[in-house]
Amino acid sequence: MQQDHVITLLISCLDRPGIVAAVSQFIFEHQGNIVESDQYATARQNGTFFMRISFSEEGFQLNERELVEAFQPIAARFGMQWSVHYSRNRKRAAILVSRLDHCLVDLLWRWRNGELVIDIPCIISNHPDLEPLARMYQLPYYHFPIRTESRAADQQRMLEFLEGKVDFLILARYMQILEPFFVQAYPQRIINIHHSFLPAFTGARPYERAFERGVKIIGATAHYVTEELDEGPIIAQDVIHCNHRDSIEDLIRKGRDVERRVLAEAVRLHSEDRVLVYKNRTIVF
């Protein structure tokens, strides 16, 4: 899918007969070759319909402007909310990080090896600690301190710096709460990762509390950031098993491992236009 240039349509609307036929016919009429198609409806009757359909750009007769103009009558007929994405236009992602490096290291490794097909214009941190890592990958690193007494102003400077440079943000264990105006600037375009002890073990020292409770699984959740802390639509989750032999250090090690995997998967899904948000849930194709 990433080697050949494809065009992807993401569609949501009230479910009714004829949607798949109309979209497929549109692609066929303009010499498009469908390479992937998936759809889902929230209910058998009167539900919301979601569709992701990808077709080869090679041979397709319409350019970007012409596609939008030609597809608009179909979208209007079915009351669609829709968007079109070209795989040749790689999404630009800024990575925000604090002091913990495990998620950042994993993302950069996957990016360098072509597993994550994105551009990384910069890495931003509220600490200078990880700048040597950024230099290893020849990526710009910017230190934006966030002070308690001026957090809003500090984040406003960071937001102004990012303007026009990125399409979405990755919080790779960025240990700061984003101000509402910051979240509103990137709706459904900020991906966060946290351990899945929430809400059972909130606050400080969650691994110590989980160890005392004798948990048998731990996990991680990647989600879009909303103004409600850690309550945004979930993109990806996974777990790893524990047992009575695991120390607190073992739990931390396992937790970081699953955080790396889940965050990378969420970034991949978002960058490949595989996620549609419905209320506070996601449809992941």
Side-chain angles (χ1 to χ4, degrees):
M1 287 292 295
Q2 294 296 339
Q3 295 177 350
D4 299 324
H5 289 163
V6 298
I7 305 169
T8 298
L9 293 173
L10 293 177
I11 296 166
S12 61
C13 59
L14 182 67
D15 193 14
R16 54 183 279 196
I19 300 172
V20 175
V23 174
S24 301
Q25 182 65 24
F26 169 81
I27 296 170
F28 170 74
E29 288 176 353
H30 299 287
Q31 304 302 307
N33 180 40
I34 296 172
V35 295
E36 188 174 351
S37 180
D38 203 351
Q39 60 270 339
Y40 169 76
T42 59
R44 290 186 178 273
Q45 294 184 351
N46 300 319
T48 301
F49 176 84
F50 299 91
M51 185 177 192
R52 180 185 186 273
I53 188 165
S54 297
F55 50 98
S56 177
E57 186 173 3
E58 182 180 359
F60 191 67
Q61 294 179 332
L62 304 180
N63 61 32
E64 296 183 41
R65 180 184 59 81
E66 292 169 339
L67 187 156
V68 172
E69 292 179 353
F71 192 74
Q72 190 56 46
I74 298 174
R77 188 199 325 166
F78 291 99
M80 294 176 178
Q81 291 183 332
W82 67 287
S83 59
V84 59
H85 307 269
Y86 288 75
S87 65
R88 56 178 161 79
N89 297 332
R90 292 160 62 112
K91 288 182 172 56
R92 304 166 297 168
I95 303 178
L96 279 62
V97 66
S98 290
R99 285 194 170 103
L100 293 174
D101 66 355
H102 58 288
C103 286
L104 176 62
V105 169
D106 188 75
L107 290 171
L108 295 180
W109 185 87
R110 294 174 191 268
W111 168 73
R112 184 181 63 184
N113 285 277
E115 185 177 329
L116 296 176
V117 186
I118 58 176
D119 290 332
I120 304 176
C122 61
I123 298 171
I124 288 178
S125 179
N126 55 324
H127 298 284
D129 304 49
L130 298 181
E131 184 172 6
L133 179 60
R135 286 202 301 267
M136 285 178 54
Y137 287 87
Q138 299 180 328
L139 291 171
Y141 186 94
Y142 297 96
H143 178 210
F144 279 86
I146 304 294
R147 296 155 293 190
T148 302
E149 65 276 10
S150 59
R151 186 171 70 181
D154 293 338
Q155 290 192 13
Q156 181 63 43
R157 284 192 289 271
M158 187 165 62
L159 187 62
E160 291 171 357
F161 170 80
L162 288 168
E163 185 175 0
K165 295 183 176 69
V166 299
D167 301 303
F168 72 106
L169 307 177
I170 305 167
L171 308 187
R173 292 308 304 268
Y174 183 66
M175 307 305 289
Q176 291 289 321
I177 297 174
L178 297 179
E179 293 290 322
F181 68 82
F182 201 109
V183 175
Q184 292 164 10
Y186 292 91
Q188 299 169 11
R189 289 184 292 150
I190 306 176
I191 299 174
N192 189 30
I193 184 72
H194 65 70
H195 59 74
S196 285
F197 293 137
L198 297 175
F201 303 113
T202 59
R205 303 173 65 83
Y207 285 99
E208 286 81 353
R209 296 175 63 197
F211 175 79
E212 293 168 359
R213 185 64 181 84
V215 301
K216 294 299 183 278
I217 59 170
I218 58 176
T221 296
H223 62 92
Y224 288 122
V225 175
T226 62
E227 294 180 35
E228 299 295 325
L229 182 63
D230 292 330
E231 294 291 335
I234 294 170
I235 307 168
Q237 291 179 300
D238 203 354
V239 297
I240 190 167
H241 289 272
C242 311
N243 62 42
H244 60 279
R245 299 182 186 276
D246 287 327
S247 65
I248 294 174
E249 290 73 21
D250 290 326
L251 297 185
I252 293 173
R253 172 179 55 81
K254 289 183 175 183
R256 291 179 179 176
D257 182 55
V258 73
E259 285 174 3
R260 288 193 294 261
R261 292 187 282 109
V262 170
L263 180 59
E265 177 66 2
V267 171
R268 182 188 70 82
L269 292 168
H270 180 87
S271 66
E272 294 181 4
D273 304 300
R274 294 184 177 276
V275 186
L276 281 164
V277 175
Y278 172 64
K279 298 181 179 179
N280 200 44
R281 299 168 51 199
T282 58
I283 311 300
V284 181
F285 290 119

